[in-house]
Amino acid sequence: MSVEAGYNQWAATYDEVANPTRDLEKVACEVMLQDRAHGAVLELGGGTGKNTSWVAERCERLVSADLSREMQAVARAKVTAANVEFLIGDVRQSWQFGTGFDLITCSLILEHVGDLGHVFNEAAEALKPGGLFYVCELHPFKQYAGSKARFDSEGGEKVLECYRHHVTDYTKAAVAAGFAIEDISEWFDGSDRAGLPRLISFLFRNKE
Ligand SMILES: C[S@@+](CC[C@H](N)C(=O)[O-])C[C@H]1O[C@@H](n2cnc3c(N)ncnc32)[C@H](O)[C@@H]1O
């Protein structure tokens, strides 16, 4: 199922159904981005606004971009902060999101993007020199075990178009675009560090 059509359908239930990946990413985002000053922020694939209000409270202005009008409609209905601007756009295309950002966030979307190099090159252009790029995705170990973005609909389970990215796919694409790797963290369900990590997060620093 195409990503856009899938999220347009999933939007009605995305916030309501149990989703440990969604919930753990919120924890990761808040741990990784707390205690930092953020001026202008670009949120890629902001979806239903799970992180939008929290980030907006910690920055001067936030642009939240998404491919899916229905996902973004949920965010527009619940995010009331005056410093948030919503845009429809596709990170696989040439970015029309603006430039001069201090921080770009990207939570749970690169699973749906084949060409990571394009995203990192556009991010480097959109960020100020020295700006931060936060990326948090389903851990490749989970992908190797068969996990994919999927949801239940009246017509049965829908599985979205997904790409498998290895850890070095992220790091090599980032370094090739001029980023330095500031942090890599792995996120587990509860305190069970004996199991597979569910998520991997990266903080990349744009070249000065
Ligand atoms: C799993 S949801 C995550 C939403 C939100 N970031 C969160 O953590 O809850 C993935 C989101 O990425 C968006 N998305 C997927 N591919 C995209 C693309 N190529 N360009 C922009 N947004 C995209 C989807 O429409 C969806 O809203």
Side-chain angles (χ1 to χ4, degrees):
M1 173 170 226
S2 87
V3 175
E4 185 177 356
Y7 278 105
N8 278 337
Q9 270 195 34
W10 195 354
T13 55
Y14 183 85
D15 283 355
E16 316 305 333
V17 295
N19 183 337
T21 300
R22 174 200 63 204
D23 296 346
L24 184 60
E25 198 288 323
K26 183 160 179 57
V27 173
C29 175
E30 295 185 5
V31 169
M32 296 309 298
L33 299 182
Q34 68 187 351
D35 303 330
R36 293 173 184 268
H38 309 300
V41 179
L42 171 61
E43 180 183 47
L44 303 174
T48 60
K50 181 195 79 198
N51 299 333
T52 310
S53 295
W54 187 89
V55 177
E57 284 169 15
R58 288 159 182 80
C59 70
E60 286 165 21
R61 70 181 186 93
L62 186 150
V63 175
S64 182
D66 203 284
L67 179 68
S68 161
R69 288 185 188 277
E70 297 303 326
M71 290 290 278
Q72 193 172 84
V74 177
R76 284 174 185 265
K78 72 184 180 197
V79 175
T80 54
N83 62 340
V84 176
E85 177 188 359
F86 289 102
L87 296 177
I88 293 295
D90 185 340
V91 303
R92 297 168 296 186
Q93 308 294 327
S94 176
W95 290 13
Q96 309 292 324
F97 309 137
T99 56
F101 293 102
D102 299 278
L103 168 71
I104 298 176
T105 70
C106 180
S107 300
L108 306 178
I109 100 165
L110 296 181
E111 176 185 15
H112 304 301
V113 175
D115 184 359
L116 294 184
H118 173 74
V119 171
F120 281 96
N121 287 332
E122 293 281 355
E125 289 299 312
L127 280 168
K128 289 178 183 167
L132 276 179
F133 190 17
Y134 164 77
V135 173
C136 188
E137 294 293 330
L138 188 66
H139 201 293
F141 296 170
K142 281 283 191 191
Q143 291 193 306
Y144 305 155
S147 290
K148 284 183 173 182
R150 65 185 77 218
F151 66 100
D152 290 322
S153 74
E154 284 178 6
E157 187 183 68
K158 300 281 167 58
V159 181
L160 303 190
E161 184 183 352
C162 289
Y163 299 85
R164 185 179 283 184
H165 298 305
H166 308 291
V167 173
T168 49
D169 294 339
Y170 293 104
T171 56
K172 285 181 186 293
V175 169
F179 286 94
I181 301 165
E182 197 148 288
D183 183 80
I184 302 178
S185 295
E186 293 169 306
W187 303 86
F188 296 78
D189 292 324
S191 53
D192 180 18
R193 291 185 66 87
L196 290 184
R198 179 174 292 278
L199 300 175
I200 187 163
S201 70
F202 304 88
L203 262 186
F204 299 110
R205 175 84 59 188
N206 201 17
K207 57 187 171 296
E208 290 290 344

mmCIF file of all heavy atoms in Angstrom, residues 3-4 7-8 10 14-15 19 21-22 25-26 43-51 65-69 71-72 89-93 97 105-113 136 149 160, ligand 1:
data_model
loop_
_atom_site.group_PDB
_atom_site.id
_atom_site.type_symbol
_atom_site.label_atom_id
_atom_site.label_comp_id
_atom_site.label_asym_id
_atom_site.label_seq_id
_atom_site.Cartn_x
_atom_site.Cartn_y
_atom_site.Cartn_z
ATOM 1 N N VAL A 3 2.455 4.851 0.779
ATOM 2 C CA VAL A 3 2.634 5.483 2.086
ATOM 3 C C VAL A 3 1.562 6.550 2.304
ATOM 4 O O VAL A 3 0.930 6.619 3.367
ATOM 5 C CB VAL A 3 4.050 6.086 2.165
ATOM 6 C CG1 VAL A 3 4.225 6.858 3.457
ATOM 7 C CG2 VAL A 3 5.092 4.981 2.046
ATOM 8 N N GLU A 4 1.330 7.371 1.294
ATOM 9 C CA GLU A 4 0.374 8.468 1.454
ATOM 10 C C GLU A 4 -1.043 7.920 1.692
ATOM 11 O O GLU A 4 -1.740 8.347 2.624
ATOM 12 C CB GLU A 4 0.403 9.364 0.214
ATOM 13 C CG GLU A 4 -0.463 10.587 0.367
ATOM 14 C CD GLU A 4 -0.359 11.503 -0.848
ATOM 15 O OE1 GLU A 4 0.433 11.217 -1.766
ATOM 16 O OE2 GLU A 4 -1.074 12.508 -0.862
ATOM 17 N N TYR A 7 -1.233 6.279 5.274
ATOM 18 C CA TYR A 7 -1.358 7.180 6.427
ATOM 19 C C TYR A 7 -2.659 7.970 6.380
ATOM 20 O O TYR A 7 -3.220 8.293 7.434
ATOM 21 C CB TYR A 7 -0.128 8.074 6.550
ATOM 22 C CG TYR A 7 1.002 7.338 7.245
ATOM 23 C CD1 TYR A 7 2.097 6.864 6.527
ATOM 24 C CD2 TYR A 7 0.943 7.066 8.599
ATOM 25 C CE1 TYR A 7 3.102 6.151 7.152
ATOM 26 C CE2 TYR A 7 1.942 6.348 9.242
ATOM 27 C CZ TYR A 7 3.027 5.893 8.517
ATOM 28 O OH TYR A 7 4.008 5.173 9.144
ATOM 29 N N ASN A 8 -3.158 8.257 5.183
ATOM 30 C CA ASN A 8 -4.463 8.926 5.124
ATOM 31 C C ASN A 8 -5.545 8.057 5.758
ATOM 32 O O ASN A 8 -6.449 8.557 6.420
ATOM 33 C CB ASN A 8 -4.816 9.290 3.685
ATOM 34 C CG ASN A 8 -4.145 10.583 3.247
ATOM 35 O OD1 ASN A 8 -3.771 11.414 4.088
ATOM 36 N ND2 ASN A 8 -3.987 10.757 1.955
ATOM 37 N N TRP A 10 -4.837 5.517 8.047
ATOM 38 C CA TRP A 10 -4.436 5.210 9.427
ATOM 39 C C TRP A 10 -4.737 6.397 10.365
ATOM 40 O O TRP A 10 -4.911 6.227 11.569
ATOM 41 C CB TRP A 10 -2.936 4.887 9.438
ATOM 42 C CG TRP A 10 -2.402 4.211 10.658
ATOM 43 C CD1 TRP A 10 -3.079 3.952 11.830
ATOM 44 C CD2 TRP A 10 -1.077 3.710 10.846
ATOM 45 N NE1 TRP A 10 -2.245 3.319 12.731
ATOM 46 C CE2 TRP A 10 -1.017 3.159 12.141
ATOM 47 C CE3 TRP A 10 0.059 3.668 10.049
ATOM 48 C CZ2 TRP A 10 0.150 2.582 12.652
ATOM 49 C CZ3 TRP A 10 1.223 3.099 10.553
ATOM 50 C CH2 TRP A 10 1.273 2.555 11.837
ATOM 51 N N TYR A 14 -4.693 6.387 14.391
ATOM 52 C CA TYR A 14 -3.261 6.365 14.747
ATOM 53 C C TYR A 14 -3.034 6.692 16.224
ATOM 54 O O TYR A 14 -2.223 6.052 16.891
ATOM 55 C CB TYR A 14 -2.485 7.344 13.863
ATOM 56 C CG TYR A 14 -0.985 7.332 14.107
ATOM 57 C CD1 TYR A 14 -0.170 6.406 13.475
ATOM 58 C CD2 TYR A 14 -0.404 8.231 14.986
ATOM 59 C CE1 TYR A 14 1.195 6.378 13.700
ATOM 60 C CE2 TYR A 14 0.962 8.217 15.226
ATOM 61 C CZ TYR A 14 1.759 7.292 14.576
ATOM 62 O OH TYR A 14 3.122 7.267 14.818
ATOM 63 N N ASP A 15 -3.761 7.689 16.737
ATOM 64 C CA ASP A 15 -3.546 8.106 18.128
ATOM 65 C C ASP A 15 -4.202 7.166 19.129
ATOM 66 O O ASP A 15 -3.859 7.192 20.313
ATOM 67 C CB ASP A 15 -4.124 9.513 18.357
ATOM 68 C CG ASP A 15 -3.236 10.605 17.784
ATOM 69 O OD1 ASP A 15 -2.139 10.295 17.287
ATOM 70 O OD2 ASP A 15 -3.657 11.776 17.839
ATOM 71 N N ASN A 19 0.303 1.219 20.388
ATOM 72 C CA ASN A 19 1.427 1.321 19.453
ATOM 73 C C ASN A 19 2.697 1.624 20.258
ATOM 74 O O ASN A 19 3.039 2.779 20.501
ATOM 75 C CB ASN A 19 1.145 2.431 18.429
ATOM 76 C CG ASN A 19 2.232 2.540 17.374
ATOM 77 O OD1 ASN A 19 3.370 2.118 17.588
ATOM 78 N ND2 ASN A 19 1.891 3.114 16.233
ATOM 79 N N THR A 21 5.757 1.404 19.522
ATOM 80 C CA THR A 21 6.803 2.125 18.775
ATOM 81 C C THR A 21 6.559 3.629 18.856
ATOM 82 O O THR A 21 7.462 4.419 19.161
ATOM 83 C CB THR A 21 6.819 1.644 17.312
ATOM 84 O OG1 THR A 21 7.098 0.242 17.306
ATOM 85 C CG2 THR A 21 7.847 2.380 16.480
ATOM 86 N N ARG A 22 5.316 4.024 18.578
ATOM 87 C CA ARG A 22 4.932 5.446 18.687
ATOM 88 C C ARG A 22 5.229 5.982 20.096
ATOM 89 O O ARG A 22 5.837 7.044 20.264
ATOM 90 C CB ARG A 22 3.426 5.564 18.374
ATOM 91 C CG ARG A 22 2.811 6.925 18.571
ATOM 92 C CD ARG A 22 1.296 6.806 18.708
ATOM 93 N NE ARG A 22 0.950 6.023 19.898
ATOM 94 C CZ ARG A 22 -0.204 5.351 20.053
ATOM 95 N NH1 ARG A 22 -1.120 5.361 19.122
ATOM 96 N NH2 ARG A 22 -0.426 4.662 21.164
ATOM 97 N N GLU A 25 8.951 6.238 21.020
ATOM 98 C CA GLU A 25 9.634 7.340 20.318
ATOM 99 C C GLU A 25 9.390 8.670 21.020
ATOM 100 O O GLU A 25 10.252 9.535 21.032
ATOM 101 C CB GLU A 25 9.189 7.406 18.848
ATOM 102 C CG GLU A 25 10.143 8.204 17.971
ATOM 103 C CD GLU A 25 10.127 9.690 18.195
ATOM 104 O OE1 GLU A 25 9.052 10.251 18.439
ATOM 105 O OE2 GLU A 25 11.208 10.314 18.139
ATOM 106 N N LYS A 26 8.230 8.834 21.603
ATOM 107 C CA LYS A 26 7.956 10.085 22.332
ATOM 108 C C LYS A 26 8.935 10.218 23.503
ATOM 109 O O LYS A 26 9.460 11.293 23.771
ATOM 110 C CB LYS A 26 6.504 10.128 22.818
ATOM 111 C CG LYS A 26 6.141 11.431 23.504
ATOM 112 C CD LYS A 26 4.653 11.674 23.540
ATOM 113 C CE LYS A 26 4.301 12.979 24.249
ATOM 114 N NZ LYS A 26 4.951 14.148 23.638
ATOM 115 N N GLU A 43 10.046 19.994 11.675
ATOM 116 C CA GLU A 43 9.630 18.633 12.036
ATOM 117 C C GLU A 43 9.203 17.918 10.760
ATOM 118 O O GLU A 43 8.230 18.318 10.114
ATOM 119 C CB GLU A 43 8.455 18.701 13.026
ATOM 120 C CG GLU A 43 7.944 17.344 13.454
ATOM 121 C CD GLU A 43 6.735 17.431 14.386
ATOM 122 O OE1 GLU A 43 5.791 18.189 14.089
ATOM 123 O OE2 GLU A 43 6.745 16.713 15.402
ATOM 124 N N LEU A 44 9.931 16.883 10.394
ATOM 125 C CA LEU A 44 9.597 16.105 9.189
ATOM 126 C C LEU A 44 8.620 14.996 9.564
ATOM 127 O O LEU A 44 8.809 14.325 10.585
ATOM 128 C CB LEU A 44 10.859 15.480 8.588
ATOM 129 C CG LEU A 44 11.985 16.435 8.215
ATOM 130 C CD1 LEU A 44 13.223 15.631 7.771
ATOM 131 C CD2 LEU A 44 11.564 17.401 7.123
ATOM 132 N N GLY A 45 7.605 14.795 8.752
ATOM 133 C CA GLY A 45 6.657 13.713 9.038
ATOM 134 C C GLY A 45 6.045 13.876 10.413
ATOM 135 O O GLY A 45 5.993 12.918 11.187
ATOM 136 N N GLY A 46 5.552 15.066 10.696
ATOM 137 C CA GLY A 46 5.031 15.369 12.037
ATOM 138 C C GLY A 46 3.793 14.555 12.393
ATOM 139 O O GLY A 46 3.440 14.440 13.568
ATOM 140 N N GLY A 47 3.138 14.000 11.394
ATOM 141 C CA GLY A 47 2.010 13.104 11.629
ATOM 142 C C GLY A 47 0.883 13.786 12.372
ATOM 143 O O GLY A 47 0.505 14.928 12.074
ATOM 144 N N THR A 48 0.336 13.095 13.369
ATOM 145 C CA THR A 48 -0.814 13.617 14.122
ATOM 146 C C THR A 48 -0.378 14.572 15.231
ATOM 147 O O THR A 48 -1.188 14.933 16.073
ATOM 148 C CB THR A 48 -1.628 12.459 14.745
ATOM 149 O OG1 THR A 48 -0.752 11.727 15.622
ATOM 150 C CG2 THR A 48 -2.184 11.536 13.679
ATOM 151 N N GLY A 49 0.888 14.953 15.230
ATOM 152 C CA GLY A 49 1.343 15.966 16.190
ATOM 153 C C GLY A 49 1.775 15.404 17.529
ATOM 154 O O GLY A 49 1.782 16.130 18.535
ATOM 155 N N LYS A 50 2.166 14.128 17.539
ATOM 156 C CA LYS A 50 2.552 13.501 18.812
ATOM 157 C C LYS A 50 3.625 14.306 19.541
ATOM 158 O O LYS A 50 3.563 14.473 20.757
ATOM 159 C CB LYS A 50 3.065 12.081 18.521
ATOM 160 C CG LYS A 50 3.469 11.303 19.744
ATOM 161 C CD LYS A 50 4.295 10.087 19.339
ATOM 162 C CE LYS A 50 5.731 10.477 19.037
ATOM 163 N NZ LYS A 50 6.460 9.485 18.258
ATOM 164 N N ASN A 51 4.630 14.791 18.818
ATOM 165 C CA ASN A 51 5.730 15.537 19.437
ATOM 166 C C ASN A 51 5.614 17.040 19.238
ATOM 167 O O ASN A 51 6.415 17.795 19.800
ATOM 168 C CB ASN A 51 7.078 15.098 18.834
ATOM 169 C CG ASN A 51 7.371 13.628 19.072
ATOM 170 O OD1 ASN A 51 6.903 13.032 20.035
ATOM 171 N ND2 ASN A 51 8.150 13.032 18.175
ATOM 172 N N ALA A 65 5.996 19.456 8.723
ATOM 173 C CA ALA A 65 5.676 19.054 7.341
ATOM 174 C C ALA A 65 5.303 17.579 7.300
ATOM 175 O O ALA A 65 5.884 16.753 8.016
ATOM 176 C CB ALA A 65 6.885 19.303 6.437
ATOM 177 N N ASP A 66 4.341 17.236 6.465
ATOM 178 C CA ASP A 66 3.947 15.837 6.321
ATOM 179 C C ASP A 66 3.375 15.605 4.924
ATOM 180 O O ASP A 66 2.833 16.502 4.291
ATOM 181 C CB ASP A 66 2.901 15.449 7.379
ATOM 182 C CG ASP A 66 2.880 13.953 7.628
ATOM 183 O OD1 ASP A 66 2.333 13.202 6.787
ATOM 184 O OD2 ASP A 66 3.428 13.510 8.662
ATOM 185 N N LEU A 67 3.506 14.367 4.499
ATOM 186 C CA LEU A 67 2.976 13.924 3.210
ATOM 187 C C LEU A 67 1.460 13.748 3.258
ATOM 188 O O LEU A 67 0.771 13.942 2.249
ATOM 189 C CB LEU A 67 3.635 12.574 2.902
ATOM 190 C CG LEU A 67 3.311 11.801 1.657
ATOM 191 C CD1 LEU A 67 3.829 12.540 0.442
ATOM 192 C CD2 LEU A 67 3.961 10.417 1.741
ATOM 193 N N SER A 68 0.954 13.339 4.416
ATOM 194 C CA SER A 68 -0.444 12.923 4.544
ATOM 195 C C SER A 68 -1.316 14.060 5.075
ATOM 196 O O SER A 68 -1.146 14.516 6.211
ATOM 197 C CB SER A 68 -0.541 11.716 5.489
ATOM 198 O OG SER A 68 -1.853 11.567 5.976
ATOM 199 N N ARG A 69 -2.278 14.493 4.247
ATOM 200 C CA ARG A 69 -3.198 15.554 4.683
ATOM 201 C C ARG A 69 -4.038 15.095 5.870
ATOM 202 O O ARG A 69 -4.359 15.888 6.755
ATOM 203 C CB ARG A 69 -4.133 15.949 3.529
ATOM 204 C CG ARG A 69 -3.420 16.719 2.465
ATOM 205 C CD ARG A 69 -4.325 17.230 1.357
ATOM 206 N NE ARG A 69 -3.483 17.793 0.319
ATOM 207 C CZ ARG A 69 -2.992 19.022 0.339
ATOM 208 N NH1 ARG A 69 -3.294 19.828 1.329
ATOM 209 N NH2 ARG A 69 -2.202 19.450 -0.624
ATOM 210 N N MET A 71 -3.274 12.788 8.271
ATOM 211 C CA MET A 71 -2.474 12.788 9.508
ATOM 212 C C MET A 71 -2.322 14.219 10.003
ATOM 213 O O MET A 71 -2.523 14.516 11.190
ATOM 214 C CB MET A 71 -1.092 12.165 9.261
ATOM 215 C CG MET A 71 -1.093 10.676 9.007
ATOM 216 S SD MET A 71 -1.496 9.652 10.452
ATOM 217 C CE MET A 71 0.100 9.585 11.284
ATOM 218 N N GLN A 72 -2.005 15.123 9.094
ATOM 219 C CA GLN A 72 -1.772 16.504 9.512
ATOM 220 C C GLN A 72 -3.068 17.178 9.988
ATOM 221 O O GLN A 72 -3.024 18.050 10.860
ATOM 222 C CB GLN A 72 -1.138 17.314 8.384
ATOM 223 C CG GLN A 72 -0.594 18.633 8.858
ATOM 224 C CD GLN A 72 0.195 19.329 7.791
ATOM 225 O OE1 GLN A 72 -0.370 20.011 6.938
ATOM 226 N NE2 GLN A 72 1.504 19.160 7.807
ATOM 227 N N GLY A 89 4.135 18.313 2.368
ATOM 228 C CA GLY A 89 5.316 18.145 1.517
ATOM 229 C C GLY A 89 5.881 16.751 1.650
ATOM 230 O O GLY A 89 5.592 16.030 2.609
ATOM 231 N N ASP A 90 6.693 16.383 0.674
ATOM 232 C CA ASP A 90 7.258 15.033 0.588
ATOM 233 C C ASP A 90 8.776 15.144 0.691
ATOM 234 O O ASP A 90 9.410 15.787 -0.156
ATOM 235 C CB ASP A 90 6.848 14.423 -0.767
ATOM 236 C CG ASP A 90 7.274 12.978 -0.922
ATOM 237 O OD1 ASP A 90 8.188 12.532 -0.208
ATOM 238 O OD2 ASP A 90 6.694 12.294 -1.781
ATOM 239 N N VAL A 91 9.365 14.528 1.691
ATOM 240 C CA VAL A 91 10.826 14.639 1.881
ATOM 241 C C VAL A 91 11.600 13.955 0.755
ATOM 242 O O VAL A 91 12.810 14.142 0.649
ATOM 243 C CB VAL A 91 11.280 14.072 3.249
ATOM 244 C CG1 VAL A 91 10.575 14.764 4.392
ATOM 245 C CG2 VAL A 91 11.101 12.557 3.318
ATOM 246 N N ARG A 92 10.918 13.151 -0.077
ATOM 247 C CA ARG A 92 11.608 12.494 -1.198
ATOM 248 C C ARG A 92 11.777 13.447 -2.377
ATOM 249 O O ARG A 92 12.503 13.143 -3.316
ATOM 250 C CB ARG A 92 10.829 11.250 -1.641
ATOM 251 C CG ARG A 92 10.742 10.178 -0.566
ATOM 252 C CD ARG A 92 9.728 9.111 -0.914
ATOM 253 N NE ARG A 92 8.383 9.666 -0.983
ATOM 254 C CZ ARG A 92 7.270 8.952 -1.151
ATOM 255 N NH1 ARG A 92 7.354 7.637 -1.265
ATOM 256 N NH2 ARG A 92 6.084 9.540 -1.213
ATOM 257 N N GLN A 93 11.070 14.577 -2.324
ATOM 258 C CA GLN A 93 11.159 15.580 -3.392
ATOM 259 C C GLN A 93 12.122 16.692 -2.946
ATOM 260 O O GLN A 93 12.636 16.674 -1.830
ATOM 261 C CB GLN A 93 9.773 16.181 -3.663
ATOM 262 C CG GLN A 93 8.682 15.153 -3.907
ATOM 263 C CD GLN A 93 8.891 14.362 -5.187
ATOM 264 O OE1 GLN A 93 9.404 14.879 -6.164
ATOM 265 N NE2 GLN A 93 8.524 13.090 -5.165
ATOM 266 N N PHE A 97 10.579 23.619 2.438
ATOM 267 C CA PHE A 97 10.192 23.830 3.836
ATOM 268 C C PHE A 97 10.862 25.054 4.451
ATOM 269 O O PHE A 97 10.599 25.392 5.602
ATOM 270 C CB PHE A 97 10.546 22.594 4.685
ATOM 271 C CG PHE A 97 10.039 21.285 4.135
ATOM 272 C CD1 PHE A 97 10.854 20.153 4.126
ATOM 273 C CD2 PHE A 97 8.748 21.173 3.628
ATOM 274 C CE1 PHE A 97 10.389 18.932 3.635
ATOM 275 C CE2 PHE A 97 8.267 19.967 3.131
ATOM 276 C CZ PHE A 97 9.097 18.845 3.131
ATOM 277 N N THR A 105 13.784 17.588 13.204
ATOM 278 C CA THR A 105 13.428 16.319 13.835
ATOM 279 C C THR A 105 12.776 15.407 12.799
ATOM 280 O O THR A 105 12.066 15.874 11.897
ATOM 281 C CB THR A 105 12.448 16.503 15.018
ATOM 282 O OG1 THR A 105 11.171 16.900 14.530
ATOM 283 C CG2 THR A 105 12.969 17.529 16.012
ATOM 284 N N CYS A 106 13.022 14.129 12.949
ATOM 285 C CA CYS A 106 12.543 13.140 11.972
ATOM 286 C C CYS A 106 12.243 11.864 12.758
ATOM 287 O O CYS A 106 13.158 11.112 13.091
ATOM 288 C CB CYS A 106 13.656 12.923 10.946
ATOM 289 S SG CYS A 106 13.262 11.751 9.655
ATOM 290 N N SER A 107 10.969 11.660 13.083
ATOM 291 C CA SER A 107 10.576 10.541 13.943
ATOM 292 C C SER A 107 9.734 9.545 13.165
ATOM 293 O O SER A 107 8.615 9.861 12.732
ATOM 294 C CB SER A 107 9.750 11.059 15.135
ATOM 295 O OG SER A 107 10.486 11.968 15.904
ATOM 296 N N LEU A 108 10.273 8.358 12.966
ATOM 297 C CA LEU A 108 9.517 7.224 12.404
ATOM 298 C C LEU A 108 9.037 7.480 10.986
ATOM 299 O O LEU A 108 7.914 7.134 10.632
ATOM 300 C CB LEU A 108 8.316 6.881 13.324
ATOM 301 C CG LEU A 108 8.630 6.622 14.793
ATOM 302 C CD1 LEU A 108 7.354 6.358 15.576
ATOM 303 C CD2 LEU A 108 9.600 5.445 14.943
ATOM 304 N N ILE A 109 9.869 8.079 10.138
ATOM 305 C CA ILE A 109 9.445 8.252 8.747
ATOM 306 C C ILE A 109 10.421 7.657 7.739
ATOM 307 O O ILE A 109 10.022 7.301 6.640
ATOM 308 C CB ILE A 109 9.083 9.724 8.414
ATOM 309 C CG1 ILE A 109 10.183 10.470 7.691
ATOM 310 C CG2 ILE A 109 8.694 10.551 9.620
ATOM 311 C CD1 ILE A 109 9.638 11.743 7.090
ATOM 312 N N LEU A 110 11.692 7.511 8.101
ATOM 313 C CA LEU A 110 12.673 7.076 7.089
ATOM 314 C C LEU A 110 12.496 5.610 6.693
ATOM 315 O O LEU A 110 13.019 5.175 5.662
ATOM 316 C CB LEU A 110 14.096 7.363 7.567
ATOM 317 C CG LEU A 110 14.393 8.859 7.754
ATOM 318 C CD1 LEU A 110 15.840 9.069 8.212
ATOM 319 C CD2 LEU A 110 14.125 9.653 6.476
ATOM 320 N N GLU A 111 11.742 4.870 7.484
ATOM 321 C CA GLU A 111 11.348 3.505 7.096
ATOM 322 C C GLU A 111 10.616 3.531 5.747
ATOM 323 O O GLU A 111 10.609 2.550 5.008
ATOM 324 C CB GLU A 111 10.434 2.950 8.201
ATOM 325 C CG GLU A 111 9.837 1.603 7.946
ATOM 326 C CD GLU A 111 8.857 1.188 9.038
ATOM 327 O OE1 GLU A 111 8.430 2.055 9.846
ATOM 328 O OE2 GLU A 111 8.514 0.003 9.081
ATOM 329 N N HIS A 112 10.022 4.677 5.424
ATOM 330 C CA HIS A 112 9.237 4.803 4.194
ATOM 331 C C HIS A 112 9.989 5.518 3.076
ATOM 332 O O HIS A 112 9.389 5.877 2.059
ATOM 333 C CB HIS A 112 7.939 5.556 4.482
ATOM 334 C CG HIS A 112 7.112 4.944 5.555
ATOM 335 N ND1 HIS A 112 6.645 3.649 5.483
ATOM 336 C CD2 HIS A 112 6.689 5.417 6.763
ATOM 337 C CE1 HIS A 112 5.962 3.360 6.576
ATOM 338 N NE2 HIS A 112 5.976 4.415 7.371
ATOM 339 N N VAL A 113 11.270 5.777 3.286
ATOM 340 C CA VAL A 113 12.052 6.558 2.317
ATOM 341 C C VAL A 113 13.237 5.715 1.875
ATOM 342 O O VAL A 113 14.065 5.312 2.707
ATOM 343 C CB VAL A 113 12.536 7.890 2.959
ATOM 344 C CG1 VAL A 113 13.442 8.650 2.002
ATOM 345 C CG2 VAL A 113 11.336 8.744 3.376
ATOM 346 N N CYS A 136 14.966 9.358 14.672
ATOM 347 C CA CYS A 136 14.643 8.177 15.489
ATOM 348 C C CYS A 136 13.759 7.260 14.660
ATOM 349 O O CYS A 136 12.723 7.690 14.143
ATOM 350 C CB CYS A 136 13.944 8.586 16.783
ATOM 351 S SG CYS A 136 13.738 7.200 17.922
ATOM 352 N N ALA A 149 5.682 -0.930 9.474
ATOM 353 C CA ALA A 149 4.519 -0.107 9.802
ATOM 354 C C ALA A 149 3.276 -0.788 9.248
ATOM 355 O O ALA A 149 3.204 -1.076 8.054
ATOM 356 C CB ALA A 149 4.695 1.286 9.203
ATOM 357 N N LEU A 160 2.337 -1.023 5.078
ATOM 358 C CA LEU A 160 2.795 0.086 4.251
ATOM 359 C C LEU A 160 4.106 -0.252 3.548
ATOM 360 O O LEU A 160 4.861 -1.119 3.980
ATOM 361 C CB LEU A 160 2.986 1.340 5.106
ATOM 362 C CG LEU A 160 1.758 1.812 5.894
ATOM 363 C CD1 LEU A 160 2.012 3.180 6.496
ATOM 364 C CD2 LEU A 160 0.544 1.875 4.997
HETATM 365 C C1 LIG B 1 4.730 6.583 11.828
HETATM 366 S S1 LIG B 1 4.163 8.196 11.420
HETATM 367 C C2 LIG B 1 5.092 9.154 12.583
HETATM 368 C C3 LIG B 1 4.434 10.446 12.902
HETATM 369 C C4 LIG B 1 5.111 11.227 14.019
HETATM 370 N N1 LIG B 1 6.432 11.656 13.608
HETATM 371 C C5 LIG B 1 5.192 10.342 15.225
HETATM 372 O O1 LIG B 1 6.310 10.039 15.672
HETATM 373 O O2 LIG B 1 4.135 9.938 15.739
HETATM 374 C C6 LIG B 1 5.035 8.563 9.898
HETATM 375 C C7 LIG B 1 4.636 9.901 9.333
HETATM 376 O O3 LIG B 1 5.571 10.230 8.287
HETATM 377 C C8 LIG B 1 4.847 10.736 7.187
HETATM 378 N N2 LIG B 1 5.635 10.472 5.979
HETATM 379 C C9 LIG B 1 5.942 9.273 5.440
HETATM 380 N N3 LIG B 1 6.664 9.426 4.324
HETATM 381 C C10 LIG B 1 6.821 10.760 4.154
HETATM 382 C C11 LIG B 1 7.458 11.554 3.167
HETATM 383 N N4 LIG B 1 8.065 11.002 2.116
HETATM 384 N N5 LIG B 1 7.433 12.889 3.299
HETATM 385 C C12 LIG B 1 6.792 13.470 4.352
HETATM 386 N N6 LIG B 1 6.160 12.772 5.315
HETATM 387 C C13 LIG B 1 6.168 11.425 5.215
HETATM 388 C C14 LIG B 1 3.535 9.994 7.215
HETATM 389 O O4 LIG B 1 2.515 10.641 6.475
HETATM 390 C C15 LIG B 1 3.255 9.934 8.717
HETATM 391 O O5 LIG B 1 2.527 11.035 9.169
#
